[in-house]
Amino acid sequence: MSETRQDTFTCPQCGEDGPIDLWTSINVSQDPDARRRVEDLSIFEWTCPNCGKTCLVLHPCLYHDMANEFMVWFAPDGEVQEGAEFSQLERYTLRTTSTPNEFREKVNILERHLDDRALELTKLILIMQLSRDNVDVVDVIFHSIDQNGQFVFVLVHPDGVEQYLRLPAATYQKLAHDVREYLFTPAHGFQTIDLNWAKESLELLKDM
C-alpha cells in the first residue's frame, strides 16, 4: 500500500516552517490516482500554509506497479535505500532514477512493457543526430506511441520550449533486438538505465 511520512519543511519564500506529508512509497495498483500525481509531479508539491507559495519538495520515493511487475526508485540524492534489493521478485524490472523527469518517464516506459535500455539508446542516437544538425536540446523524453505506431519524444530546448518529434518503431525495435542479443543487464537488484548507461552500451555495441 502507499505510505507517507510526516515532516516539516521550511518555505523558501517566507522562511516559515510548515507540515508536509512525504510520499515514501506508492502502490499504483492499490492507489490508481497516484499515477496521475506522479505524471504531473503533484506528488511532490507543497503549499506553504503561511504565504501560499507552492513548490516541489523532492524526496526519495518507491513506485510499485504490481500489475506490470516493476518498481522504480526516485532517489534525488542518488542513493537507493540499503536492503532494497527485492531479489525475491524475480520477474520484476527494478530501476533507479534521480530526476523528476526520469522518474515519470521510466514509469511511462515500463507500464507500456517497453525495453527502457533500447529507448535510452534510441534517445542517445536522436541527441547525436540533433547535434550534427546543430539543434541544441537539454533533454529528450519519451512521451507516447501514436496511432501509427511511431514513437513520440519531447525535445526540451535551452529556452524551455518543448517540441514533439516522431521516430519510426523500427529504430527502437532494432535496438531492442541488439540489447537482448548482445548486452547483459543484471536480473536482480535496482539498476540505473539512463543516458550514461546508453553511452557506455553504444560503445560496446560498436565493437561487436
Side-chain angles (χ1 to χ4, degrees):
M1 64 188 307
S2 299
E3 297 179 356
T4 61
R5 173 174 61 85
Q6 290 189 332
D7 206 336
T8 59
F9 182 72
T10 302
C11 178
Q13 178 164 284
C14 69
E16 294 293 323
D17 290 340
I20 184 172
D21 289 329
L22 303 176
W23 288 84
T24 57
S25 177
I26 298 169
N27 189 322
V28 72
S29 299
Q30 299 174 355
D31 183 10
D33 187 56
R35 176 68 183 88
R36 175 193 58 78
R37 299 200 300 274
V38 168
E39 178 61 30
D40 63 15
L41 298 180
S42 60
I43 203 82
F44 301 115
E45 279 188 358
W46 176 80
T47 301
C48 177
N50 181 59
C51 70
K53 178 178 177 58
T54 296
C55 57
L56 292 183
V57 181
L58 303 181
H59 58 275
C61 179
L62 176 65
Y63 185 99
H64 185 185
D65 187 324
M66 298 170 64
N68 295 306
E69 297 186 322
F70 70 85
M71 291 183 179
V72 179
W73 269 113
F74 175 58
D77 56 4
E79 296 184 5
V80 178
Q81 292 184 8
E82 292 184 7
E85 290 298 325
F86 297 97
S87 59
Q88 72 276 19
L89 303 176
E90 295 183 358
R91 296 187 302 275
Y92 268 59
T93 298
L94 306 174
R95 297 291 188 253
T96 62
T97 57
S98 60
T99 70
N101 279 341
E102 288 178 353
F103 182 44
R104 57 184 175 180
E105 179 192 42
K106 192 68 68 174
V107 169
N108 185 24
I109 292 170
L110 295 180
E111 70 183 7
R112 295 172 184 271
H113 302 280
L114 297 172
D115 191 322
D116 62 328
R117 301 168 301 173
L119 269 173
E120 291 297 340
L121 284 164
T122 302
K123 288 165 54 179
L124 176 60
I125 292 172
L126 176 56
I127 290 171
M128 294 166 62
Q129 181 61 57
L130 290 168
S131 178
R132 287 193 291 266
D133 294 339
N134 295 315
V135 178
D136 193 12
V137 296
V138 296
D139 205 357
V140 175
I141 305 166
F142 170 74
H143 180 270
S144 60
I145 299 175
D146 69 15
Q147 60 185 4
N148 297 317
Q150 292 189 311
F151 282 58
V152 183
F153 296 87
V154 177
L155 310 183
V156 183
H157 296 278
D159 58 3
V161 173
E162 296 183 351
Q163 175 187 0
Y164 289 93
L165 184 146
R166 288 168 167 77
L167 287 180
T171 305
Y172 161 82
Q173 292 165 353
K174 172 62 168 61
L175 289 168
H177 172 268
D178 290 347
V179 165
R180 290 192 300 269
E181 290 293 319
Y182 305 117
L183 295 182
F184 171 75
T185 302
H188 300 302
F190 282 83
Q191 308 296 322
T192 301
I193 305 297
D194 56 12
L195 284 176
N196 289 328
W197 175 93
K199 291 174 184 177
E200 296 177 0
S201 299
L202 187 60
E203 290 302 316
L204 290 174
L205 289 173
K206 286 180 179 178
D207 293 337
M208 292 178 179

